[in-house]
Amino acid sequence: MMTNMQKVAAVLVVLPLLAVTTFAYAQMDYFAAKQTFSEEELGLRKETLYDEQGTAPSHGEITALEPGESTRIERAFENSPPLIPHDITGMLPLAQTENICLDCHMPEEAVSQGAIPIPKSHFVDLGTGKDLEGKLDGDRFNCMQCHVIQTRISVPVANLFKGEFRDKEGKYRSNLIDILNEGVEAD
Ligand code: HEC
Ligand code: HEC
């Protein structure tokens, strides 16, 4: 049995809780009744959702700087594929046999072109670990599958992602092939 003191204490706890809950429900009802959103307010694009007229996609502005004139772009995260900082007009499509990117980026050409040499990882069959001795892996000829051109565009939702770099060199250089097996014990 509860003593009188315990009964008073229980009422003191329960009553304010009841009051708060009732108030919260009343508030929710109030907003549900008052706050309705028009179609134009629902999406990020602030246009009706049933008509594409005013919402042509924006492709942004692509650099016109030629290879050799552009400035390299900081990597998004350690060993991410670097963005292409220069114009690529007229360079596409890429094929295994005809691939203008190789003219400047193959390691033996890159030095004279002032370009960044294709890294060792692209000359290894990553499936088997076989060193292809200077021959580009067949999976790598389509550079644009992984490397994309930088575009200037304003985005409706800011990207707050911040890449981690264990070594600040990694902001402009990759070392994937050297660290790929980190933490893996060989037999
Ligand atoms: C005429 C030579 C030339 C051609 C062709 C060329 N590039 Fe480049 N590329 C460069 C140079 C030089 C740089 C360094 C930035 C600069 O000086 O403009 C570079 C930079 C890059 C980078 C940035 C590397 C980094 O570490 O930041 C990537 C990625 C790249 N190019 C990819 C490509 C792809 C893909 C193609 C083919 C569609 C291509 N390039 C064609 C010369 C060339
Ligand atoms: C399957 C995805 C993929 C393809 C295809 C690919 N790359 Fe890469 N590339 C990467 C990644 C990931 C990195 C960074 C990690 C590394 O070194 O492998 C990179 C790094 C690079 C770098 C920077 C090297 C450095 O020392 O920092 C250059 C230059 C480059 N690639 C050029 C090319 C060119 C040119 C082609 C086409 C012939 C190509 N890549 C095809 C994924 C790719």
Side-chain angles (χ1 to χ4, degrees), residues 5-21:
M5 270 311 272
Q6 279 170 330
K7 279 182 195 159
V8 171
V11 168
L12 282 180
V13 170
V14 170
L15 267 185
L17 267 179
L18 213 69
V20 167
T21 327

mmCIF file of all heavy atoms in Angstrom, residues 5-21:
data_model
loop_
_atom_site.group_PDB
_atom_site.id
_atom_site.type_symbol
_atom_site.label_atom_id
_atom_site.label_comp_id
_atom_site.label_asym_id
_atom_site.label_seq_id
_atom_site.Cartn_x
_atom_site.Cartn_y
_atom_site.Cartn_z
ATOM 1 N N MET A 5 2.188 10.140 1.679
ATOM 2 C CA MET A 5 3.296 10.906 1.079
ATOM 3 C C MET A 5 3.590 10.407 -0.338
ATOM 4 O O MET A 5 3.785 11.183 -1.269
ATOM 5 C CB MET A 5 4.565 10.764 1.938
ATOM 6 C CG MET A 5 4.726 11.816 3.025
ATOM 7 S SD MET A 5 4.479 13.482 2.414
ATOM 8 C CE MET A 5 6.125 13.856 1.873
ATOM 9 N N GLN A 6 3.598 9.064 -0.504
ATOM 10 C CA GLN A 6 3.901 8.484 -1.820
ATOM 11 C C GLN A 6 2.834 8.880 -2.834
ATOM 12 O O GLN A 6 3.127 9.164 -3.998
ATOM 13 C CB GLN A 6 3.994 6.959 -1.720
ATOM 14 C CG GLN A 6 5.352 6.510 -1.204
ATOM 15 C CD GLN A 6 5.361 5.013 -0.871
ATOM 16 O OE1 GLN A 6 4.320 4.464 -0.494
ATOM 17 N NE2 GLN A 6 6.526 4.400 -1.002
ATOM 18 N N LYS A 7 1.574 8.917 -2.386
ATOM 19 C CA LYS A 7 0.482 9.294 -3.300
ATOM 20 C C LYS A 7 0.677 10.729 -3.792
ATOM 21 O O LYS A 7 0.532 11.026 -4.981
ATOM 22 C CB LYS A 7 -0.870 9.167 -2.579
ATOM 23 C CG LYS A 7 -1.377 7.732 -2.560
ATOM 24 C CD LYS A 7 -2.732 7.672 -1.893
ATOM 25 C CE LYS A 7 -3.081 6.236 -1.530
ATOM 26 N NZ LYS A 7 -4.073 6.142 -0.496
ATOM 27 N N VAL A 8 1.010 11.609 -2.863
ATOM 28 C CA VAL A 8 1.234 13.019 -3.237
ATOM 29 C C VAL A 8 2.376 13.114 -4.240
ATOM 30 O O VAL A 8 2.265 13.779 -5.268
ATOM 31 C CB VAL A 8 1.540 13.875 -1.982
ATOM 32 C CG1 VAL A 8 1.975 15.277 -2.391
ATOM 33 C CG2 VAL A 8 0.310 13.939 -1.084
ATOM 34 N N ALA A 9 3.470 12.365 -3.978
ATOM 35 C CA ALA A 9 4.632 12.412 -4.863
ATOM 36 C C ALA A 9 4.252 11.921 -6.259
ATOM 37 O O ALA A 9 4.619 12.515 -7.268
ATOM 38 C CB ALA A 9 5.754 11.556 -4.287
ATOM 39 N N ALA A 10 3.451 10.838 -6.325
ATOM 40 C CA ALA A 10 3.058 10.271 -7.618
ATOM 41 C C ALA A 10 2.248 11.279 -8.423
ATOM 42 O O ALA A 10 2.472 11.488 -9.617
ATOM 43 C CB ALA A 10 2.251 8.998 -7.397
ATOM 44 N N VAL A 11 1.313 11.961 -7.741
ATOM 45 C CA VAL A 11 0.480 12.966 -8.424
ATOM 46 C C VAL A 11 1.359 14.107 -8.933
ATOM 47 O O VAL A 11 1.196 14.587 -10.057
ATOM 48 C CB VAL A 11 -0.626 13.488 -7.464
ATOM 49 C CG1 VAL A 11 -1.292 14.718 -8.063
ATOM 50 C CG2 VAL A 11 -1.641 12.384 -7.214
ATOM 51 N N LEU A 12 2.359 14.485 -8.115
ATOM 52 C CA LEU A 12 3.233 15.594 -8.496
ATOM 53 C C LEU A 12 4.038 15.261 -9.757
ATOM 54 O O LEU A 12 4.347 16.127 -10.565
ATOM 55 C CB LEU A 12 4.192 15.941 -7.349
ATOM 56 C CG LEU A 12 3.553 16.767 -6.226
ATOM 57 C CD1 LEU A 12 4.585 17.057 -5.142
ATOM 58 C CD2 LEU A 12 2.967 18.080 -6.751
ATOM 59 N N VAL A 13 4.361 13.985 -9.912
ATOM 60 C CA VAL A 13 5.129 13.583 -11.102
ATOM 61 C C VAL A 13 4.214 13.445 -12.309
ATOM 62 O O VAL A 13 4.511 13.919 -13.399
ATOM 63 C CB VAL A 13 5.867 12.248 -10.837
ATOM 64 C CG1 VAL A 13 6.450 11.699 -12.133
ATOM 65 C CG2 VAL A 13 6.957 12.450 -9.802
ATOM 66 N N VAL A 14 3.077 12.797 -12.119
ATOM 67 C CA VAL A 14 2.199 12.462 -13.246
ATOM 68 C C VAL A 14 1.525 13.698 -13.838
ATOM 69 O O VAL A 14 1.442 13.846 -15.052
ATOM 70 C CB VAL A 14 1.159 11.401 -12.824
ATOM 71 C CG1 VAL A 14 0.098 11.223 -13.906
ATOM 72 C CG2 VAL A 14 1.858 10.082 -12.545
ATOM 73 N N LEU A 15 1.064 14.594 -12.970
ATOM 74 C CA LEU A 15 0.305 15.744 -13.474
ATOM 75 C C LEU A 15 1.084 16.607 -14.468
ATOM 76 O O LEU A 15 0.593 16.862 -15.574
ATOM 77 C CB LEU A 15 -0.203 16.591 -12.300
ATOM 78 C CG LEU A 15 -1.620 16.223 -11.817
ATOM 79 C CD1 LEU A 15 -2.071 17.213 -10.742
ATOM 80 C CD2 LEU A 15 -2.618 16.205 -12.974
ATOM 81 N N PRO A 16 2.312 17.027 -14.108
ATOM 82 C CA PRO A 16 3.039 17.846 -15.096
ATOM 83 C C PRO A 16 3.303 17.083 -16.394
ATOM 84 O O PRO A 16 3.201 17.650 -17.484
ATOM 85 C CB PRO A 16 4.370 18.145 -14.399
ATOM 86 C CG PRO A 16 4.154 17.862 -12.965
ATOM 87 C CD PRO A 16 3.053 16.852 -12.872
ATOM 88 N N LEU A 17 3.584 15.782 -16.315
ATOM 89 C CA LEU A 17 3.824 14.980 -17.521
ATOM 90 C C LEU A 17 2.615 15.003 -18.433
ATOM 91 O O LEU A 17 2.716 15.193 -19.641
ATOM 92 C CB LEU A 17 4.111 13.525 -17.134
ATOM 93 C CG LEU A 17 5.573 13.150 -16.965
ATOM 94 C CD1 LEU A 17 5.698 11.686 -16.568
ATOM 95 C CD2 LEU A 17 6.354 13.427 -18.234
ATOM 96 N N LEU A 18 1.455 14.848 -17.798
ATOM 97 C CA LEU A 18 0.193 14.856 -18.541
ATOM 98 C C LEU A 18 0.002 16.206 -19.243
ATOM 99 O O LEU A 18 -0.378 16.285 -20.410
ATOM 100 C CB LEU A 18 -0.946 14.603 -17.552
ATOM 101 C CG LEU A 18 -2.128 13.823 -18.102
ATOM 102 C CD1 LEU A 18 -1.709 12.395 -18.371
ATOM 103 C CD2 LEU A 18 -3.293 13.875 -17.118
ATOM 104 N N ALA A 19 0.320 17.255 -18.518
ATOM 105 C CA ALA A 19 0.142 18.607 -19.060
ATOM 106 C C ALA A 19 1.044 18.817 -20.271
ATOM 107 O O ALA A 19 0.611 19.318 -21.311
ATOM 108 C CB ALA A 19 0.464 19.629 -17.972
ATOM 109 N N VAL A 20 2.301 18.374 -20.135
ATOM 110 C CA VAL A 20 3.266 18.568 -21.227
ATOM 111 C C VAL A 20 2.810 17.796 -22.466
ATOM 112 O O VAL A 20 2.819 18.304 -23.581
ATOM 113 C CB VAL A 20 4.681 18.116 -20.788
ATOM 114 C CG1 VAL A 20 5.610 18.006 -21.983
ATOM 115 C CG2 VAL A 20 5.235 19.090 -19.769
ATOM 116 N N THR A 21 2.389 16.534 -22.271
ATOM 117 C CA THR A 21 1.971 15.702 -23.408
ATOM 118 C C THR A 21 0.757 16.304 -24.099
ATOM 119 O O THR A 21 0.701 16.382 -25.321
ATOM 120 C CB THR A 21 1.625 14.273 -22.938
ATOM 121 O OG1 THR A 21 2.466 13.937 -21.861
ATOM 122 C CG2 THR A 21 1.786 13.269 -24.043
#
